[in-house]
Amino acid sequence: MSSTWSPSSWHQRAADQQPAWPDVEGVDRALKTVASFPPLVFAGEARSLQSSLAQVAAGNAFLLQAGDCAESFEEFSADNIREKLRVILQMAVVLTYSMGAPVVKVGRIAGQFAKPRSSATERIGEIDLPSFRGHIVNGASFDPAARTPDPERLVQAYHQSASTLNLVRAFTKGGFADLGRVHAWNQEFVATSPAGQRYERVAAEIDRALNFMRACGVDTESNPILSQVDVYTSHEALILGYEEALTRRDSLTGGWYDCSAHMLWVGERTRSVDGAHVEFLRGVGNPIGCKIGPTVEASELLELCQRLNPAHVPGRLTLISRMGATRVEERLRPLLRAVKESGHPVVWACDPMHANTFSAPNGRKTRHFDDVIGEIAGFVQAHRAESTWPGGIHIELTGENVTECLGGADDVSDADLDRRYETMCDPRLNGRQSVDLAFRVAELISGTAT
Ligand code: PEP
Ligand code: CO
């Protein structure tokens, strides 16, 4: 099978969730343009992430994958990127400090622009328009011009990914992520919450540890281990023409890598074993994620593992379960058992967001913080019962003080949702809820949750 793979072999398979581009020649032109651009990431970086994920698969590290449901062409600014990084760094500090294990940080960032939809069209009143598929395809507002898929957006997605990634690299390598600045990551609106105060106490302990190291003669200022972090990029590999255009042969190993991001995942709606998305991803050398929902059967999951990681490479495959708080334990346990028996060295991550979404009385799509925590608790419980490692979490969040998910320490209510509901797609945890969640996760994993 592998011998017949090429970056374009997915064209022979059924590709779900592809936009109906009216301007087909425009798409060809745009993809040729993207194919002529430099890669966004280097294959060696994808391999480093894979080695770190191998540590997660072995139970020695934890994966934090987090960011927007969909990045926006409109809400694109340095502030926005910085705030998102800040909260990811805060969560990583809490998890690292509390669990005493390395945390592998992967953003849903610098390329997370495409959305699968349950219906190809949306009807309001008597009008039917193409559904919004993310800014790489069309605009969100309900008018015919905005909703018409526009190939120029493929090029714009590349450029926005490039500048976002550039800033992520600058922030993470240029001093912002220095552990000595651990207090400065606590934004004011987070710092005033109970989770923010708890975070301050962890930050103070880290300060004391750094002081101790300095007193012992360690140069904490110029040590990159303390002053820099690796934040990798990831997105759902949905628009396959775009992913193909950024797939390049690595000059060092000769292998193919999808250089649009370090890690790519296949979504719940497109993970059919014989479909185009799995065909595309099986041939690229990047670490790959696969979302799995409550309907997946063990036999199907094993086929996916075999197709995506036939060589059983540790760190190559992350299974991201999104089962729903009420059924995660029951659905997950047989899958954990089957994968373990098959010998596939996977990373198990929990997406506690996508199967806990519902509509509030005012029609807003939302999620309750308690359900999010509930799914993680069930995920950890299932792993404990099967003696497997609950390797990570996959979260939709923003650094902003939005009101999109209910509950949390501020007890965001139905009535609050309209106050700052800014997501372009699914509801995200705000900065306070995210830091709170990190503490809860650390307690659940170390078995100290009450
Ligand atoms: C997502 O991650 O935004 C998403 C659409 O998830 P899923 O494929 O699990 O539904
Ligand atoms: Co989402």
Side-chain angles (χ1 to χ4, degrees):
M1 197 135 195
S2 317
S3 57
T4 62
W5 186 91
S6 79
S8 61
S9 58
W10 63 269
H11 291 267
Q12 311 308 318
R13 309 286 180 120
D16 288 336
Q17 298 285 341
Q18 302 306 288
W21 304 97
D23 178 8
V24 175
E25 280 169 23
V27 174
D28 269 358
R29 265 196 313 277
L31 293 179
K32 282 203 178 81
T33 304
V34 173
S36 73
F37 288 157
L40 290 168
V41 303
F42 174 53
E45 296 174 311
R47 282 193 290 272
S48 304
L49 171 57
Q50 187 156 292
S51 323
S52 298
L53 289 171
Q55 286 304 312
V56 180
N60 302 324
F62 192 77
L63 167 66
L64 170 62
Q65 190 170 15
D68 280 305
C69 179
E71 288 174 276
S72 163
F73 284 1
E74 286 141 23
E75 305 288 309
F76 171 46
S77 69
D79 284 359
N80 191 294
I81 297 163
R82 189 190 57 232
E83 297 318 314
K84 220 172 326 186
L85 270 179
R86 247 207 253 241
V87 75
I88 291 173
L89 292 174
Q90 277 190 290
M91 291 175 81
V93 156
V94 167
L95 290 165
T96 311
Y97 190 82
S98 315
M99 291 166 42
V103 172
V104 182
K105 296 164 275 295
V106 181
R108 287 175 63 116
I109 199 167
Q112 176 50 26
F113 293 116
K115 298 315 299 173
R117 302 320 301 254
S118 48
S119 166
T121 56
E122 182 180 356
R123 162 167 288 213
I124 299 187
E126 292 298 292
I127 303 175
D128 285 304
L129 289 178
S131 293
F132 172 56
R133 289 187 178 274
H135 275 166
I136 193 170
V137 176
N138 56 5
S141 62
F142 192 77
D143 71 73
R147 286 293 173 89
T148 305
D150 174 5
E152 269 311 299
R153 288 176 173 271
L154 293 160
V155 179
Q156 195 176 340
Y158 172 90
H159 288 305
Q160 184 164 321
S161 299
S163 18
T164 303
L165 180 55
N166 182 50
L167 202 59
V168 169
R169 292 191 195 280
F171 278 137
T172 52
K173 305 291 175 191
F176 182 77
D178 191 323
L179 256 192
R181 290 175 42 90
V182 67
H183 289 282
W185 303 337
N186 210 5
Q187 289 192 77
E188 211 174 300
F189 85 92
V190 178
T192 52
S193 72
Q197 284 157 14
R198 209 171 158 193
Y199 174 83
E200 278 302 321
R201 291 196 287 277
V202 169
E205 286 181 38
I206 290 171
D207 270 351
R208 263 201 301 282
L210 288 173
N211 279 336
F212 171 73
M213 284 159 75
R214 277 190 284 272
C216 295
V218 177
D219 178 358
T220 59
E221 252 99 85
S222 55
N223 189 335
I225 288 183
L226 299 169
S227 63
Q228 300 183 4
V229 296
D230 290 322
V231 174
Y232 294 99
T233 62
S234 71
H235 61 259
E236 177 173 352
L238 189 68
I239 307 294
L240 291 174
Y242 179 83
E243 303 303 333
E244 180 187 342
L246 281 163
T247 298
R248 311 291 164 83
R249 210 187 258 287
D250 172 33
S251 54
L252 287 179
T253 62
W256 291 98
Y257 283 79
D258 180 349
C259 298
S260 70
H262 299 111
M263 177 179 182
L264 286 313
W265 77 85
V266 57
E268 166 68 2
R269 290 180 184 78
T270 50
R271 60 165 171 74
S272 135
V273 180
D274 293 316
H277 292 81
V278 167
E279 170 60 19
F280 174 75
L281 286 175
R282 82 178 172 94
V284 296
N286 311 56
I288 298 300
C290 181
K291 293 281 200 96
I292 45 170
T295 58
V296 75
E297 294 297 336
S299 54
E300 184 189 3
L301 183 58
L302 294 184
E303 277 184 68
L304 279 167
C305 291
Q306 197 53 32
R307 193 66 67 90
L308 290 168
N309 190 16
H312 291 214
V313 178
R316 153 77 175 166
L317 182 59
T318 297
L319 297 176
I320 307 160
S321 74
R322 25 90 84 221
M323 301 289 172
T326 53
R327 47 191 168 180
V328 54
E329 247 187 282
E330 160 230 337
R331 297 298 306 154
L332 200 54
R333 285 190 57 180
L335 304 176
L336 298 179
R337 223 173 296 144
V339 172
K340 185 164 137 181
E341 277 166 16
S342 75
H344 273 285
V346 303
V347 169
W348 282 104
C350 174
D351 166 356
M353 317 295 292
H354 285 90
N356 294 308
T357 316
F358 60 92
S359 290
N362 65 1
R364 294 283 197 198
K365 232 205 282 185
T366 190
R367 292 155 175 163
H368 201 291
F369 186 77
D370 293 346
D371 295 336
V372 171
I373 298 296
E375 177 149 359
I376 301 174
F379 171 83
V380 172
Q381 196 53 41
H383 280 280
R384 205 149 276 154
E386 299 299 332
S387 303
T388 43
W389 173 236
I393 49 171
H394 182 114
I395 303 286
E396 288 182 344
L397 57 70
T398 167
E400 310 295 323
N401 192 12
V402 298
T403 53
E404 298 171 5
C405 290
L406 300 171
D410 293 329
D411 204 12
V412 175
S413 68
D414 286 344
D416 295 321
L417 287 180
D418 280 331
R419 200 150 38 83
R420 258 195 91 177
Y421 193 96
E422 297 172 4
T423 183
M424 277 204 325
C425 196
D426 292 337
R428 304 159 298 177
L429 297 176
N430 64 30
R432 288 177 163 204
Q433 290 168 327
S434 302
V435 174
D436 194 359
L437 178 130
F439 279 110
R440 308 284 196 99
V441 170
E443 287 165 358
L444 285 166
I445 302 270
S446 15
T448 56
T450 46

